[in-house]
Amino acid sequence: MSGKYVVPVLEQLIVFHSGFLPKQASFKHASLTCGCNWVLSFSSGQEVDEAAGPMLRDRSHIEDTLQLATVETSAEFSAAMKQLLDIYHTAIKPMEEAYKYNELKQYEVTDGEITSKPMVLFLGPWSVGKSTMINYLLNVHGTSQELYTGAEPTTSEYTVIMHGEKFRSVEGIVMAADSSRSFSPLERFGQGFLERLVGIEMPHKLLERVTFVDTPGIIENRKQQERGYPYNEVCQWFIDRADLIFLVFDPTKLDVGGELEMLFRQMKGRESQIRLILNKADNLSKQDLMRVYGALFWSMAPLVNVTEPPRVYVSSFWPQDYAAGTSRELFMREEVSLLDDLNQMIENQMENKIAFIRQHGIRVRIHALLVDRYLQTYNDRLGWFSDPYEVFQDIVNDPDKYYIFKSILAKTNVSKFDLPNKEAYQDFFGVNPVSGFKQLSYHCSWSRGCLLDKLENAISHELPALLSSTMPTTPPPLPGTCEGNGCEEKSKNYWSRH
Ligand SMILES: Nc1nc2c(ncn2[C@@H]2O[C@H](COP(=O)(O)OP(=O)(O)OP(=O)(O)O)[C@@H](O)[C@H]2O)c(=O)[nH]1
Ligand SMILES: [Mg+2]
């Protein structure tokens, strides 16, 4: 097929359906080259002159896999969300406030975060195709809404692409000031960062289900301070909250440097969210691709310290047709698998949120138990003639001498991996004097009970019960024991009407 090709009819439908207008420049260019309306040429499915641009791939699989036409939020989802917020406010937040948990981790959970849409974070070296991939998924290529892309390092901002009634951009300062959004905690990274944060709102079916975050590409020889904000801390904030992390690579430049190594270190504990994407695979022949695939594992192996390595997707996430002589079928299958993966994550969002809040509750409980223990030890050691400051400094500087952490580990449901380090408590008590806290036994009231009991009840009963209410009523039968009604295959998404 040389010289002429047919552009799929579906392109046009999606462009109009989503309410996007093509960028003026593309529009003009197309009119000049093919002498017709560029967008309308899609709708007719007619042959288009090659000068109008490269051949585009059909994208019906994106609509189908992500179920963009059919899925709506159900009443059950809203009810479960309300219940989750209620548990957080009555059982977890009062304990956070009593023991100033936010001061320890500087980690506040806001209502905006709990109710926010699942977030997909795009990370990776510069020019690997992160912004192009987002444009492709949203079908905004060639429109005024497309993210800027180019062969040189292009994205210099953290760009949050989210759903909105109409297309508009929102400044970082405005996003951070709005507590109903999940981005208000970002304010603490300072003005320098907020100037590098930008929001884009647009009406889009996919963005009704998920929020994308595009990030500036990693440039290995750049120093942190040159960016004007704490790059690693900002990345950590997004990594901790992302429901999926797309770590994108270009097979022609797989060098792993210090900044990427740091990112991998920051992603410890978030391995199940990571997906490695070997993008722009259409640049390589099949044989070269095999070599690069091997090299990717070789260079990543020391960084990924888990028994089950992250899933790798090899494809070319852009709208253009794959080049001749490349593994077209493989690329398409990989693309559909990644979309399916994304869809699964969206469908499981309530389970993920409940698990996230429960994990948060567990950390708040540990923090409260630790402060209580510090306080108890302090009260025990304080004699009539001792200097309160010296007594407390001795405990804070060497908590092991007083078995503070060991005694907490001995409590039920405390894992050593959830324990903060001792240094964190030196800083914490440096700004929050121990005299400002009361022991847990004082946080009880005749009418409302004890804070600790409430929190433990939420962790052990309320949240697990909410989680199981999100599952099918009949537990799935054990393999090989299937009989009767429970054998029917359940819909994957219990939260949506199909
Ligand atoms: N051949 C090919 N080129 C691609 C593909 N995806 C993106 N590109 C090109 O790669 C270049 C970089 O793409 P961007 O989307 O700007 O990359 P990025 O990762 O967002 O880059 P930074 O914002 O600088 O970090 C652009 O010229 C794209 O047209 C692909 O799948 N195949
Ligand atoms: Mg970019």
Side-chain angles (χ1 to χ4, degrees), residues 11 84-85 89 109 234 278 306 327 329 387 417 436 449 456 458 479:
E11 288 294 329
L84 183 61
L85 278 170
H89 279 281
V109 171
V234 170
L278 207 47
V306 281
S327 316
E329 294 78 24
D387 175 347
F417 299 108
E456 290 184 339

Side-chain angles (χ1 to χ4, degrees), residues 126-132 149-151 153-155 217 280 282-283 316 318:
W126 61 279
S127 208
V128 292
K130 301 181 289 298
S131 307
T132 305
T149 62
T154 43
T155 308
K280 294 167 108 173
D282 61 340
N283 270 334
S316 187
W318 74 341

Side-chain angles (χ1 to χ4, degrees), residues 156-162 169-177 181-187 189-200 212-216 229 234 237-238:
S156 57
E157 276 117 11
Y158 281 77
T159 313
V160 180
I161 304 114
M162 53 203 156
S169 63
V170 190
E171 282 186 31
I173 310 169
V174 177
M175 283 213 289
R181 293 183 192 266
S182 50
F183 301 99
S184 53
L186 284 168
E187 207 158 22
F189 295 119
Q191 211 57 26
F193 171 67
L194 294 183
E195 280 164 18
R196 293 259 162 250
L197 175 69
V198 63
I200 295 179
F212 290 137
V213 179
D214 193 13
T215 62
Y229 60 88
V234 170
W237 191 91
F238 280 104

Side-chain angles (χ1 to χ4, degrees), residues 438-455:
K438 285 193 282 181
Q439 279 203 256
L440 277 168
S441 52
Y442 286 89
H443 285 289
C444 293
S445 85
W446 184 76
S447 56
R448 282 183 289 163
C450 297
L451 280 191
L452 185 63
D453 292 343
K454 278 193 150 180
L455 179 56

Side-chain angles (χ1 to χ4, degrees), residues 242-257:
D243 296 86
L244 266 186
I245 302 168
F246 286 167
L247 192 48
V248 189
F249 290 96
D250 177 338
T252 58
K253 45 175 189 155
L254 274 187
D255 44 334
V256 177

Side-chain angles (χ1 to χ4, degrees), residues 259-291:
E259 200 151 271
L260 196 61
E261 265 187 60
M262 184 67 200
L263 261 191
F264 270 99
R265 245 177 279 139
Q266 291 181 308
M267 286 191 281
K268 288 262 178 304
R270 306 285 294 153
E271 286 82 1
S272 58
Q273 273 70 36
I274 304 174
R275 305 289 182 275
L276 296 184
I277 297 176
L278 207 47
N279 196 24
K280 294 167 108 173
D282 61 340
N283 270 334
L284 295 179
S285 69
K286 287 178 192 170
Q287 196 184 8
D288 284 343
L289 197 58
M290 290 290 286
R291 291 202 185 114

